[in-house]
Amino acid sequence: MNRKSRRAGVTEGSLDTASFLKTADLFIDVANRQNKKIKATDLQMAFLYAAARYNAFVAKHVINVEKHEEFVEKMVKEYQEMLRQNLADEELGRPSD
């Protein structure tokens, strides 16, 4: 598949798997840089708060979620699955300097 075909297959503004992981890596890079100055346990909570804050914004102002509790339950399940997958990942190692 050439680049033009790949681009045609991607909905503008949405993420395919490779783009999703590349975008996530940007946030991980920020965390790794901040971790040089901030304890990992404090930093993880700041990132979790930031994710919750951003998700609340998207829920309220982008997708207009009316049933907040249903959305919370859905997001909790998504987070649990992502966390389980990452904890099980044998290739997850220490961040490089």
Side-chain angles (χ1 to χ4, degrees), residues 53-67:
R53 187 78 176 165
Y54 187 74
N55 285 316
F57 170 80
V58 170
K60 290 175 75 170
H61 302 292
V62 177
I63 56 178
N64 301 312
V65 168
E66 291 183 19
K67 298 179 179 180

Side-chain angles (χ1 to χ4, degrees), residues 1 7 11 13-14 16 26 29 31 34 37 42-43 45-47 51 53 62-63 68 78 80-81 84 88 91 94:
M1 178 181 277
R7 284 187 179 166
T11 304
S14 63
D16 58 20
L26 294 171
D29 289 343
Q34 290 298 311
K37 303 179 271 186
D42 290 343
L43 188 59
M45 293 310 294
F47 268 75
R53 187 78 176 165
V62 177
I63 56 178
H68 292 181
E78 293 283 342
Q80 285 176 325
E81 183 58 29
R84 286 184 178 114
E91 294 188 24
R94 297 182 71 78

Side-chain angles (χ1 to χ4, degrees), residues 35-95:
N35 194 218
K36 293 176 182 177
K37 303 179 271 186
I38 301 169
K39 290 187 330 182
T41 51
D42 290 343
L43 188 59
Q44 77 174 11
M45 293 310 294
F47 268 75
L48 192 58
Y49 177 82
R53 187 78 176 165
Y54 187 74
N55 285 316
F57 170 80
V58 170
K60 290 175 75 170
H61 302 292
V62 177
I63 56 178
N64 301 312
V65 168
E66 291 183 19
K67 298 179 179 180
H68 292 181
E69 272 314 301
E70 287 180 14
F71 181 76
V72 168
E73 288 174 20
K74 177 181 181 254
M75 294 303 289
V76 167
K77 288 177 184 173
E78 293 283 342
Y79 178 77
Q80 285 176 325
E81 183 58 29
M82 290 177 188
L83 183 58
R84 286 184 178 114
Q85 288 175 1
N86 282 287
L87 286 169
D89 185 351
E90 297 296 327
E91 294 188 24
L92 183 67
R94 297 182 71 78

